[in-house]
Amino acid sequence: MCRTADLRRAVLAHNDDSAQALREGLAARGAIAVNLLSSPGSGKTALLETELALARERGVPVAALTADLATENDARRLARSGVPVQQVLTDGLCHLEAVMLRGYLAGWLPQDAALLFVENVGNLVCPAAYDLGESLRVVLASVTEGEDKPLKYPTAFGTAQLVLVTKVDLAEPAGFDEAAFLANVARVNPGVEVVYTSARTGLGAGALLDRALAVRAGTPAHRPVMTTPAVAAPHRPPVPDHDHDHDHDHDHGDGSGHHHDHPAPHHDHGHGHAALDPR
């Protein structure tokens, strides 16, 4: 048992070293990585499609890497935005690791990329333990998944620096208990920002992009953690051409906060090539 624990610690330590090297290499280029975690079917790809399209419209140079056990379906969807996209096929591995990510980025990530969005494997268990060199960790949960998700997956939600609630247009038919969900988030991650989104209505469009750009500009990804739990008031950016009244009363807290070496063959759905700092 001890030997297994020691091996796990060694693997995680190796991954953390690689992650820090990747973070420093990206910073030297003026870029940051954003790690998106969720269970399958939460709407990561749909949300990312919107954010990539908005980035292109605004002239923000971004790139995206999407990981799946099989198929390149998500990469094809994301590539429609016109930004550089690459698919990672993990061949059964349930998470990404920093060494794998560095292997995929070397020689592919465009030199001018300001943001790298990483759509992790759909899983709230294994990916939560692996730092990918991200500067912003985002966890998504759809209203159809149940309000207890933060309690069932405390590592994923507890290390998130932003929580996105997706598919909120389905909240009423799904019987989503907003107060219970926010209270559960606050139990594992007091004060973390919660943003509501809907790919169908456009609610929350651009919130992820704005937060990522703010972190790149120097805004701390981790907000000060409160000493006592409090439910964070969800941030709802105004959405043009949609009349949605989602007023709720919540206390607003100001607080919030991660191994196989498999560089695999490239599946390139984008353009632009520049070597990543190999440190």
Side-chain angles (χ1 to χ4, degrees):
M1 186 71 169
C2 290
R3 297 181 68 177
T4 301
D6 289 343
L7 177 60
R8 176 172 171 76
R9 280 193 292 268
V11 170
L12 288 171
H14 175 65
N15 181 83
D16 288 346
D17 289 344
S18 296
Q20 185 58 28
L22 177 55
R23 192 161 21 245
E24 292 172 358
L26 289 170
R29 303 160 59 114
I32 66 165
V34 179
N35 186 5
L36 302 178
L37 305 177
S38 80
S39 56
S42 67
K44 284 197 305 297
T45 306
L47 178 132
L48 201 47
E49 282 183 291
T50 297
E51 301 300 307
L52 296 181
L54 284 173
R56 185 172 173 82
E57 288 175 15
R58 297 180 187 179
V60 179
V62 301
L65 184 148
T66 180
D68 270 310
L69 276 65
T71 84
E72 298 187 19
N73 295 345
D74 288 351
R76 283 192 284 268
R77 284 177 59 184
L78 296 179
R80 294 199 296 254
S81 66
V83 310
V85 174
Q86 183 167 190
Q87 178 77 57
V88 176
L89 296 178
T90 65
D91 194 27
L93 189 64
C94 63
H95 61 277
L96 285 174
E97 297 176 10
V99 169
M100 297 166 61
L101 190 59
R102 292 175 70 190
Y104 274 97
L105 297 181
W108 169 77
L109 185 66
Q111 187 63 44
D112 67 343
L115 302 174
L116 170 66
F117 290 98
V118 180
E119 182 181 9
N120 217 315
V121 179
N123 185 341
L124 282 174
V125 183
C126 304
Y130 291 84
D131 182 357
L132 296 184
E134 70 264 23
S135 297
L136 178 62
R137 175 174 285 209
V138 183
V139 172
L140 289 74
S142 73
V143 298
T144 60
E145 294 179 69
E147 297 80 6
D148 60 349
K149 269 288 187 292
L151 304 182
K152 287 184 174 181
Y153 304 99
T155 301
F157 282 87
T159 58
Q161 293 146 331
L162 177 64
V163 174
L164 299 181
V165 181
T166 62
K167 306 183 183 180
V168 298
D169 52 295
L170 299 176
E172 186 174 351
F176 179 61
D177 187 335
E178 178 188 27
F181 177 80
L182 291 173
N184 290 336
V185 171
R187 284 180 62 183
V188 300
N189 197 341
V192 68
E193 185 179 14
V194 178
V195 176
Y196 289 158
T197 70
S198 168
R200 180 173 295 176
T201 69
L203 180 68
L208 174 59
L209 178 61
D210 290 343
R211 180 68 176 274
L213 288 172
V215 171
R216 178 177 177 264
T219 299
H222 288 254
R223 307 197 171 191
V225 176
M226 299 178 63
T227 55
T228 56
V231 176
H235 166 62
R236 298 179 179 85
V239 180
D241 302 323
H242 292 285
D243 219 0
H244 298 284
D245 185 1
H246 296 277
D247 292 331
H248 302 273
D249 292 326
H250 302 288
D251 294 335
H252 187 77
D254 286 350
S256 159
H258 296 350
H259 289 349
H260 315 302
D261 296 349
H262 302 296
H266 294 300
H267 299 269
D268 191 358
H269 293 262
H271 37 268
H273 302 273
L276 185 69
D277 186 338
R279 292 179 296 163

